[in-house]
Amino acid sequence: MDLSTRRRFLGRAGAILAAPAVARSGFAQSWPSKPIRVIIPFVAGGTVDVIARIAFEQLSKRLGQPIIVDNRGGAGGTIGSAIVARAKPDGYDFLVNSSAHTNAPAAFPSITYDPARDFRAVICFGSLPNVIAAAPSKGFKTLKDLVEAGRKRQLSFASAGIGSATHWSIERLQLSAGFRALHVPFKAGPEAVLATITGSVDFMAPSMQGALVRMREGSLVGLAVSTAQRSRAAPDIPTTLEAGFPNSDYTFWNGMFAPAKTPREIIDRLYREMTEVLRDPAVVEKYAAMSIDPMPMTPQEFDARVASEIAISLDIVKKAGLKFN
């Protein structure tokens, strides 16, 4: 092969290799060209739903397309998540889930998807604490009061469903504190909160957003927050760690995910757009009112956190001897 022929060959080969990259780049620039569907695997009006809708109001304006929120609640978020895992990875189907996403393999061993392998993380909206809380009629003044009672007799706790953050934060506490309470799962957070207020169950761990009004009106007593640091919204409430229970902390985050084979160019653009949304003063103000703290991570860092949390959840199930149907 002479020099001129070799140059023509290499030029054609380079053009062939570059063509897909150019096509992908062009596709990312033209995306989105139609409405985007986002599945939220929890009921409308819940914490995860509200957090997402605040952000999507601004994101829709930036992208120039409607964002259609589709609430598919049930089974700790696994029903809606399974739909997105099987969706076409073309940038028009996404998932918004909470940290329940990483609890799913432990709480639902028979799920048909892998939260790590079947999704790509886009962005984390932020984190907020769960609050270990009980009705005043129960007589618990501190978290230690509750734990001591749980060691002496059978207590019960409510949750927004198996595998939810309201469930898992209690499991972390029980494993650390050395007691077992009867789990009473509900279909949604508001139902669980009502059962706690009326005394039908002894305690629960609602989100700070769901508990704050109830604590202020006196229908719930906040005993401890689940995060490693105190909440800005209720700085007088200690953490479970401060109460003397190591490794009892649990971070309730909310984030956005795409089907695993979604083009990286779309993931990266959506990450950039959402980063600007989360800096918008109106969004910052609304999130602060909900006690949401920023939790910045790149998509790659978020993927790594998901994998790590899945391993931790599986370890908790093994150590606690938990059995799920």
Side-chain angles (χ1 to χ4, degrees):
M1 182 183 292
D2 60 33
L3 183 59
S4 61
T5 303
R6 179 178 174 83
R7 286 173 176 169
R8 287 196 300 272
F9 175 79
L10 291 175
R12 289 171 183 171
I16 292 170
L17 290 172
V22 172
R24 287 196 301 270
S25 177
F27 175 61
Q29 290 300 318
S30 63
W31 173 90
S33 59
K34 62 181 181 179
I36 296 169
R37 179 178 72 155
V38 178
I39 286 182
I40 298 178
F42 303 101
V43 297
T47 301
V48 179
D49 180 73
V50 173
I51 290 172
R53 288 177 188 270
I54 289 172
F56 291 159
E57 181 179 353
Q58 299 298 325
L59 180 63
S60 178
K61 295 176 183 178
R62 294 185 66 88
L63 295 179
Q65 289 290 344
I67 296 177
I68 301 169
V69 174
D70 186 357
N71 294 92
R72 299 290 187 96
T78 60
I79 292 174
S81 297
I83 294 172
V84 180
R86 297 190 299 266
K88 186 177 179 180
D90 59 358
Y92 292 98
D93 285 283
F94 293 91
L95 172 73
V96 168
N97 206 340
S98 70
S99 46
H101 187 62
T102 61
N103 302 333
F108 300 92
S110 62
I111 57 173
T112 58
Y113 65 91
D114 186 309
R117 289 198 300 265
D118 293 335
F119 293 91
R120 277 183 169 179
V122 178
I123 195 165
C124 182
F125 296 158
S127 67
L128 68 162
N130 289 84
V131 187
I132 314 299
S137 61
K138 295 297 177 179
F140 304 133
K141 302 299 182 183
T142 66
L143 183 59
K144 285 188 176 181
D145 290 342
L146 186 153
V147 169
E148 289 174 4
R151 290 170 177 169
K152 294 175 181 177
R153 66 179 189 274
Q154 178 73 78
L155 298 181
S156 60
F157 73 94
S159 79
I162 294 173
S164 67
T166 57
H167 171 206
W168 223 249
S169 54
I170 298 295
E171 293 295 356
R172 292 286 292 262
L173 172 65
Q174 290 186 121
L175 185 61
S176 173
F179 75 102
R180 296 299 307 168
L182 175 66
H183 181 203
V184 184
F186 289 81
K187 290 184 178 179
E191 297 174 9
V193 170
L194 181 61
T196 307
I197 290 172
T198 59
S200 298
V201 294
D202 293 304
F203 67 103
M204 74 168 294
S207 69
M208 178 62 77
Q209 186 232 355
L212 200 55
V213 172
R214 299 296 191 178
M215 290 190 296
R216 286 172 176 168
E217 71 184 18
S219 57
L220 282 179
V221 176
L223 304 175
V225 295
S226 64
T227 42
Q229 291 82 35
R230 293 193 183 200
S231 170
R232 292 178 298 173
D236 293 336
I237 300 178
T239 68
T240 59
L241 297 176
E242 289 176 316
F245 304 105
N247 300 315
S248 60
D249 56 306
Y250 179 84
T251 300
F252 174 39
W253 49 256
N254 293 264
M256 190 173 187
F257 300 87
K261 294 184 180 180
T262 301
R264 173 54 65 183
E265 292 82 0
I266 290 179
I267 300 289
D268 290 343
R269 184 181 170 201
L270 190 52
Y271 170 75
R272 292 193 300 270
E273 298 287 357
M274 275 298 303
T275 297
E276 293 304 315
V277 166
L278 296 178
R279 291 172 179 165
D280 184 279
V283 174
V284 170
E285 182 179 358
K286 290 177 181 178
Y287 277 11
M290 294 176 65
S291 309
I292 299 170
D293 292 319
M295 195 174 175
M297 288 182 282
T298 65
Q300 293 80 5
E301 289 169 339
F302 200 0
D303 279 329
R305 184 182 181 98
V306 165
S308 174
E309 287 191 5
I310 289 172
I312 291 172
S313 295
L314 291 170
D315 187 53
I316 287 173
V317 167
K318 182 179 179 180
K319 288 180 178 177
L322 300 177
K323 301 293 183 181
F324 300 109
N325 295 325

